[in-house]
Amino acid sequence: MPPPAFVRVKVSWTTLLTLAHFTYLLVGATVFQILEREAESKNRIHFQLEKLNFLANYTCLDRPALEEFVKVILDAWEKGVNPSGNSTNPSNWDFSSSFFFAGTVVTTIGYGNLCPSTVSGQVFCVFYALCGIPLNLAFLKQLGKCLTIHLGRLERGMVSQTVEALAVSLFFITGSLLFLVIPPLLFSYVEDWTFGEGFYFTFITLSTIGFGDYVVGTDPGKQYISLYRSLAGIWIIFALAWLALILNMGILCSASRNHIPTVTGLKLTPAITKQTPRTHRQWLILAKNL
């Protein structure tokens, strides 16, 4: 009896990527639902009990009046006004906060905790984003290019490829400390967050997800320095540029590896030496030795 014939099915890369993408979304939705839905139900029950206790303690206030007051609080929160404290709370639209907001617009982070409430402000925000987002992308690209050039200049005088790999490692470690490790520590200290919360805010910000559950400089009970949020905005810009450079170098490294036959130890083949730019060869060396 002849062996069964196997049917070779050819699936396109686009189809695989589409299936993987939507499967990833479905898995994420399922996990988030499992993790968060029960907690949300508990919070809803707790809030309803608090309202009932409030009505029991203040009998002069009926339920419709309380619901109206809750709507006022929610409306204030949606317009960026913190309902706790009093009218002496720091403004959400001072220059430092406005600079921070402008940064979140052009970087498409959009925390959602603050937005224009006037028609003129909303119209300006639309056109500001239309011009600012491409400008920001061009700026990040150019900044990454400049960093690449300076990195290449730094490595021209190096005599061995081992030193080049060490230089790239140092660049990666220094950037990680400056943009991914030290900022969460500072935010944790200033905002009274845990390091985990500070790192969570850092990741959500630099990935441009921007949930808005953690935002720096929004606690009405704290006295921040005037440039605090402006400095946070500058950190976001340069951290995004650094991440873009790292990702770009990784892509170039991967592309170069696909077109180059072999890399033996730290000695590059003639094909690598001729075809690969000097500013990217060290990434091949580093990737080979990891």
Side-chain angles (χ1 to χ4, degrees):
M1 182 176 179
F6 293 97
V7 179
R8 181 172 295 179
V9 179
K10 188 174 182 180
V11 181
S12 68
W13 173 246
T14 303
T15 303
L16 287 175
L17 191 60
T18 302
L19 289 174
H21 179 67
F22 281 97
T23 301
Y24 192 76
L25 292 177
L26 290 172
V27 171
T30 303
V31 173
F32 284 130
Q33 183 181 29
I34 293 172
L35 295 177
E36 299 295 331
R37 191 166 187 175
E38 184 178 355
E40 181 194 30
S41 299
K42 290 180 179 179
N43 289 332
R44 287 177 182 272
I45 294 172
H46 176 73
F47 179 67
Q48 295 299 326
L49 290 176
E50 287 293 326
K51 286 202 298 183
L52 292 175
N53 291 332
F54 185 83
L55 289 172
N57 292 329
Y58 298 91
T59 56
C60 60
L61 186 65
D62 58 4
R63 190 177 186 87
L66 177 60
E67 294 294 339
E68 186 65 28
F69 183 64
V70 170
K71 289 180 180 179
V72 172
I73 293 176
L74 290 176
D75 184 61
W77 182 263
E78 290 174 357
K79 292 181 179 179
V81 178
N82 195 318
S84 62
N86 51 45
S87 60
T88 61
N89 288 342
S91 171
N92 287 321
W93 292 105
D94 57 13
F95 181 78
S96 181
S97 298
S98 299
F99 181 87
F100 183 76
F101 174 77
T104 62
V105 170
V106 299
T107 56
T108 69
I109 295 174
Y111 290 114
N113 67 309
L114 185 64
C115 57
S117 59
T118 62
V119 175
S120 56
Q122 293 168 353
V123 172
F124 174 76
C125 186
V126 169
F127 288 99
Y128 183 77
L130 285 174
C131 299
I133 292 173
L135 178 62
N136 180 67
L137 292 175
F139 170 74
L140 293 179
K141 181 180 179 181
Q142 185 62 30
L143 191 58
K145 187 183 296 183
C146 291
L147 290 174
T148 303
I149 293 173
H150 286 297
L151 185 63
R153 289 176 180 174
L154 180 65
E155 291 161 358
R156 280 175 189 160
M158 296 181 182
V159 294
S160 71
Q161 293 165 347
T162 303
V163 177
E164 288 186 9
L166 290 175
V168 174
S169 300
L170 182 61
F171 173 78
F172 179 79
I173 293 172
T174 303
S176 299
L177 289 173
L178 286 176
F179 299 122
L180 300 178
V181 177
I182 296 178
L185 290 173
L186 294 177
F187 295 143
S188 301
Y189 174 76
V190 175
E191 304 288 345
D192 286 335
W193 295 341
T194 64
F195 178 78
E197 291 172 328
F199 186 81
Y200 169 79
F201 164 76
T202 300
F203 176 79
I204 294 300
T205 296
L206 297 184
S207 59
T208 69
I209 297 173
F211 288 127
D213 49 351
Y214 288 88
V215 183
V216 295
T218 57
D219 189 344
K222 294 184 178 297
Q223 294 292 330
Y224 301 101
I225 62 173
S226 58
L227 294 178
Y228 176 58
R229 301 191 81 186
S230 295
L231 293 175
I234 294 173
W235 160 72
I236 291 173
I237 296 296
F238 283 96
L240 288 175
W242 177 78
L243 287 175
L245 172 63
I246 295 297
L247 292 175
N248 183 50
M249 289 300 234
I251 293 171
L252 288 172
C253 173
S254 176
S256 299
R257 287 171 66 94
N258 290 335
H259 290 87
I260 296 171
T262 56
V263 179
T264 305
L266 291 176
K267 294 183 178 180
L268 299 175
T269 62
I272 296 176
T273 305
K274 293 178 181 179
Q275 297 177 9
T276 308
R278 181 178 178 84
T279 55
H280 304 320
R281 290 205 307 266
Q282 64 277 10
W283 289 91
L284 294 171
I285 301 167
L286 181 62
K288 182 66 178 177
N289 289 280
L290 288 178

